[in-house]
Each structure stands twice: as C-alpha cells, then as structure tokens.
Amino acid sequence: MSVTMAAALNTALHDAMEMDDGVVVFGEDVGVLGGVFRITDKLQERFGGTRCFDTPLAESGIVGTAIGMAMYGYKPVVEMQFDGFTYPAFEQLVSHLAKMRNRSRGALTTPVVVRIPYGGGIGAVEHHSESPEAYFAHTAGLKVVSPGTPGDAYSLLREAVSQPDPVIFFEPKRRYWSKEEIELPIEREPFGTAVVRRAATSPGDPASAPTATLFAYGPMVRTCLDAATAAEDEGWDLEVVDLRTLVPLDVATIVDSVQRTGRAVVVHEAQVFAGYGAELAARVTESAFYHLEAPVLRVGGFDIPYPPAKLEEYFLPDVDRVLDAVERSFAF
C-alpha cells in the first residue's frame, strides 16, 4: 500500500507504545491536536492522556522532564515542534541528556528520543526551516538519525525507541507527504547501516560513462535520486548512498562506494561551512584517497541565516546545483 512518511512515523509511535507501556509521548500540541504535522494523531485517543500529553511551550522543560522520566525507567519520545525551537533545550540536550551515562559511570541511562521536524522547502520562516544536525553529531553521547523514505522513517524510529541511549531523530518535514509502496510493520534497520539507493551501473570501466557517488540523508535523498536520473541525459552514471544515521556512521559502505566510482559529492541542506559534509569529506579522504579521481565536493546551503520563505529556493540545493558539482568533479 502507499504510505506517507507522516503516516509511517505515526504508525511507528503507535506500534512502539503498543509493545511497551513505558513508552510515553509528549510535547507542544502532540496530544489533543495530534501535532502540527499530525505525526502523533490519535495517539492520545488510543493510549490516554497519561501516555500522550501536551506540555507548556518550554522546550528546556520538555527535555528536562524526559531525562528525569528516563532515569526512572520510562522511554520518553518528545517532539520539538520545529527545528529552531530546539535551541532553548540545547543545554539540557548537550550538558545532561548526552552525558548522563558517562557521568554516572553507566549507572544511569537516558533512553530518550527527541523528534525534530527540520529543514526547509515548506515556505516557512527561519526558525521553522533550519538544519542543525551538525551541532548534535558533534556531541558525544548522542545518536543522530534522519530518514529519507517512509519505510526508513518507520524502521529507524522503531529502532530509536529501542535504543538504551538518547537519539536525536531529524524528520525532513518537506518529505512528510512523500509516499512509498510498503506494508507496515517492516523490519527494523540497525543504526550505522547506510544503503545504496541507486547503484552506478558500470563503475571502474573506463570505456563506459563517468561515475560518481552522491552522499545524502533526509530531505536530500530524493533530490539526489532526481539528480542521478537527470544525469543520464548527460551520459553520467551516478550512485546515490543514503547515510540514514549520521551517528553512528557507516564508513565501510561509504568507502566501498567511492572505491568503485572514484568521485564523491556530499549534499545537505545545512550550510556548507563546518557542516556535516566536512566530516564526511575528511573520512572519505582519509580512507579512500588513492581511489579518488577528484577532491570531495560539497553542496549545501549558503553561509547565511536561513532566508525568507520567498527566497528559500535559492538557498536550498536542487538538481541543478548537484549536477553542477558533479560536472566540476568530472573536470578534474
């Protein structure tokens, strides 16, 4: 059946709550309303107001409460209504949620999932359109996830709820209504397992089309698949690797792809400067330097605050900007 990413996330939460009475869902407007994007729709109706409930507009308090509940054996799944609303909770996330296991020498764990709708593309303002994943990928003690398909949204969220440690779960809001033919429930994917969404057809053959790998996650997976299809008109053969989890990172799949195609382009919505793509470029260079035909290139947002909605199309990477980077890679 055709399932949207929003429906897949809702089903994942439903199934997790059904399986474990310790799973609780709370945040701003997630109870009665079912969330701004309806990801928690009907969960309060099904499981009651003690397991799915609304909170005050106080993100630091939401995460602080989740930490306390996790220390007492619950598995809280909390929602930051929009990406930019995460910043008031930053101190709780970085100073306490990420560090509790290490601070207590393993005596206390905090199995909290923090869901964050993120990224642009829906015509919203800056605090509703940012991509702050690099902040959290840089924080030891946190796992960082971003699904690119409805199937992965289900499987990775179920996996996140099962984790003994905190997970920052970035949901690409511009893909909430993307669809995939799947039957839920589906098997959970373990963290740290990237997937080749589109394989290059003839890597390593000098007589065939030039090859390169596009690395993406979350909202840019679809963009890169569209770019790979458009590249066929140019006679280019592009492989697309969906990272799925930024922490832990599946370095083996990344290196294997680059060893076969010889070129790498990293694509994300966040600003390029000091973004997650810089870490990926470094890993590829360290592990596959002698297989590279060109430097690792990056495509992302510009080094400016997120622009007004009417200008976001110029900020966000699209097919043309991805193919421009691929062409520059082939020119080396």
Side-chain angles (χ1 to χ4, degrees):
M1 63 182 296
S2 183
V3 178
T4 66
M5 181 177 287
L9 292 165
N10 177 264
T11 304
L13 291 172
H14 176 279
D15 291 355
M17 297 176 78
E18 189 81 36
M19 180 171 289
D20 187 343
D21 291 341
V23 178
V24 292
V25 173
F26 55 96
E28 297 161 1
D29 295 323
V30 304
V32 176
L33 181 65
V36 170
F37 297 101
R38 303 298 187 268
I39 305 304
T40 55
D41 192 33
K42 299 187 184 306
L43 294 181
Q44 187 180 81
E45 182 179 315
R46 167 64 182 83
F47 297 100
T50 59
R51 294 190 61 198
C52 179
F53 55 89
D54 295 318
T55 67
L57 304 183
E59 290 80 8
S60 180
I62 293 170
V63 176
T65 301
I67 293 171
M69 293 182 73
M71 292 166 64
Y72 276 89
Y74 288 92
K75 294 183 177 179
V77 181
V78 301
E79 177 178 299
M80 300 287 104
Q81 197 167 68
F82 288 95
D83 39 73
F85 298 176
T86 307
Y87 304 139
F90 194 78
E91 198 270 342
Q92 290 284 1
L93 292 166
V94 172
S95 294
H96 302 297
L97 182 64
K99 295 179 172 62
M100 195 59 68
R101 176 188 283 275
N102 187 66
R103 184 179 296 155
S104 66
R105 298 184 179 181
L108 292 173
T109 59
T110 48
V112 176
V113 178
V114 181
R115 296 180 38 249
I116 305 175
Y118 85 116
I122 64 168
V125 296
E126 63 178 57
H127 268 43
H128 295 58
S129 304
E130 295 176 308
S131 299
E133 63 270 23
Y135 295 135
F136 302 103
H138 185 67
T139 301
L142 298 176
K143 295 175 181 174
V144 182
V145 181
S146 185
T149 67
D152 270 5
Y154 178 89
S155 66
L156 293 173
L157 185 52
R158 290 296 309 278
E159 182 70 11
V161 176
S162 74
Q163 293 289 309
D165 293 303
V167 177
I168 309 298
F169 196 90
F170 283 102
E171 300 171 2
K173 66 173 82 75
R174 68 189 298 192
R175 305 302 182 199
Y176 270 151
W177 311 117
S178 62
K179 296 181 179 179
E180 184 178 9
E181 294 296 322
I182 51 175
E183 292 291 337
L184 298 178
I186 58 177
E187 186 174 350
R188 299 203 311 249
E189 294 289 344
F191 284 178
T193 307
V195 60
V196 178
R197 294 285 178 201
R198 175 193 171 108
T201 57
S202 55
D205 181 359
S208 64
T211 58
T213 301
L214 304 179
F215 292 105
Y217 52 87
M220 287 293 103
V221 172
R222 180 69 263 167
T223 301
C224 286
L225 288 170
D226 291 342
T229 300
E232 293 176 355
D233 294 337
E234 303 293 333
W236 301 340
D237 186 9
L238 302 186
E239 185 156 299
V240 178
V241 175
D242 178 356
L243 301 182
R244 286 174 161 162
T245 59
L246 282 60
V247 182
L249 180 63
D250 182 359
V251 177
T253 297
I254 293 166
V255 171
D256 177 69
S257 179
V258 172
Q259 288 178 338
R260 287 185 288 105
T261 66
R263 295 177 175 82
V265 176
V266 185
V267 185
H268 54 55
E269 285 193 14
Q271 293 94 321
V272 168
F273 184 82
Y276 188 78
E279 174 65 25
L280 207 58
R283 293 295 183 111
V284 170
T285 304
E286 291 168 358
S287 303
F289 180 78
Y290 291 107
H291 295 272
L292 287 170
E293 302 290 342
V296 180
L297 299 182
R298 293 170 289 162
V299 181
F302 301 113
D303 190 27
I304 58 172
Y306 198 86
K310 289 183 178 179
L311 299 176
E312 70 174 352
E313 65 178 297
Y314 303 106
F315 178 88
L316 295 171
D318 59 12
V319 168
D320 287 341
R321 285 176 60 190
V322 174
L323 293 182
D324 176 69
V326 171
E327 185 174 32
R328 287 188 285 121
S329 179
F330 287 148
F332 278 94

